[in-house]
Amino acid sequence: MKTSIETTEWAIWGGFVAFVMLLSWQFGLAVGLAVSLTIPFVIMLKNDYLRRKHGWKSEYSVGVAILDDDHKKLLDMVWRVYQSMQKSYGKEDAEQVLGELQAYTIEHFGREEGLMRKHGYPELERHLAEHEAMKAKVVEFKSHFATNSLEVSHQMLRFLENWLITHITKTDQAYSAFLTEKGER
Ligand SMILES: [Fe+2]
């Protein structure tokens, strides 16, 4: 059963306030205040660390700004799917982000393929085959996600993320020197 975002967040915050009040009552106001300030700070640090861990890094660069921006956005979308899946909002939110990820994957591949075609990249056919495989994986993941548990879906998402990073750092970076030599930046 789907629980609305508002209901879930109110329940979390309500529980948190009750917890802090209980601590204050048991151990004094200073402890209650210290805990109430520390916990959200630790959660924020953890989220920031995970976001950077899963996000785009300079070593992923292909040397062409518009394609790097696409890769940043794609990895950010994967991160957003992770986040949606971790919160108990139901599957609808994750499905919506997955839909956006699918649409943006297609848009990005079109842009990348356009540049490779324009300059006659010799490895185009092999690259296209990888893009087709990735598109099929996203479709498979979407239908799998609709009918399977979050745990299995989480494993598939990890696979998808690893696939994307491997594609960027191997197959995409292979065109980097070729495209920059042709004047693409
Ligand atoms: Fe690519």
Side-chain angles (χ1 to χ4, degrees):
M1 191 181 77
K2 179 177 165 63
T3 311
S4 76
I5 293 174
E6 292 76 16
T7 309
T8 308
E9 287 187 349
W10 275 112
I12 291 169
W13 281 111
F16 180 65
V17 169
F19 173 68
V20 171
M21 283 171 74
L22 185 69
L23 272 181
S24 304
W25 176 61
Q26 280 287 318
F27 303 105
L29 188 62
V31 174
L33 280 176
V35 171
S36 65
L37 291 173
T38 305
I39 292 180
F41 184 65
V42 170
I43 292 172
M44 199 181 74
L45 282 181
K46 182 188 153 228
N47 282 343
D48 187 55
Y49 164 76
L50 286 174
R51 192 183 185 100
R52 277 189 280 113
K53 185 179 166 212
H54 288 279
W56 186 88
K57 298 170 182 68
S58 56
E59 64 256 35
Y60 298 167
S61 177
V62 295
V64 181
I66 194 170
L67 301 179
D68 280 345
D69 288 344
D70 279 352
H71 292 151
K72 285 174 196 170
K73 193 164 173 180
L74 284 172
L75 285 168
D76 192 56
M77 284 175 162
V78 171
W79 166 249
R80 280 170 53 211
V81 178
Y82 264 126
Q83 279 197 310
S84 317
M85 282 167 59
Q86 274 168 3
K87 295 175 179 171
S88 343
Y89 296 163
K91 287 189 167 185
E92 285 84 347
D93 302 275
E95 273 170 349
Q96 190 193 327
V97 188
L98 263 176
E100 290 172 26
L101 174 66
Q102 182 179 30
Y104 202 75
T105 301
I106 293 167
E107 188 184 327
H108 160 64
F109 284 169
R111 201 164 8 250
E112 204 176 63
E113 289 162 14
L115 279 178
M116 288 189 281
R117 275 201 183 89
K118 179 181 162 191
H119 297 293
Y121 182 54
E123 292 294 320
L124 178 66
E125 289 309 315
R126 205 162 61 88
H127 203 125
L128 291 186
E130 281 201 25
H131 282 179
E132 289 310 310
M134 172 71 176
K135 282 188 216 167
K137 273 283 163 217
V138 176
V139 171
E140 186 190 329
F141 180 66
K142 266 187 83 186
S143 63
H144 186 92
F145 184 72
T147 52
N148 284 276
S149 73
L150 277 177
E151 192 186 332
V152 176
S153 299
H154 205 276
Q155 288 167 6
M156 275 200 83
L157 185 59
R158 188 167 290 278
F159 173 84
L160 205 65
E161 182 190 24
N162 288 337
W163 194 98
L164 181 60
I165 292 171
T166 305
H167 178 77
I168 293 170
T169 54
K170 293 210 161 56
T171 314
D172 285 349
Q173 285 187 339
Y175 65 54
S176 182
F178 179 84
L179 287 185
T180 49
E181 226 169 72
K182 300 286 180 186
E184 299 294 344
R185 293 284 185 275

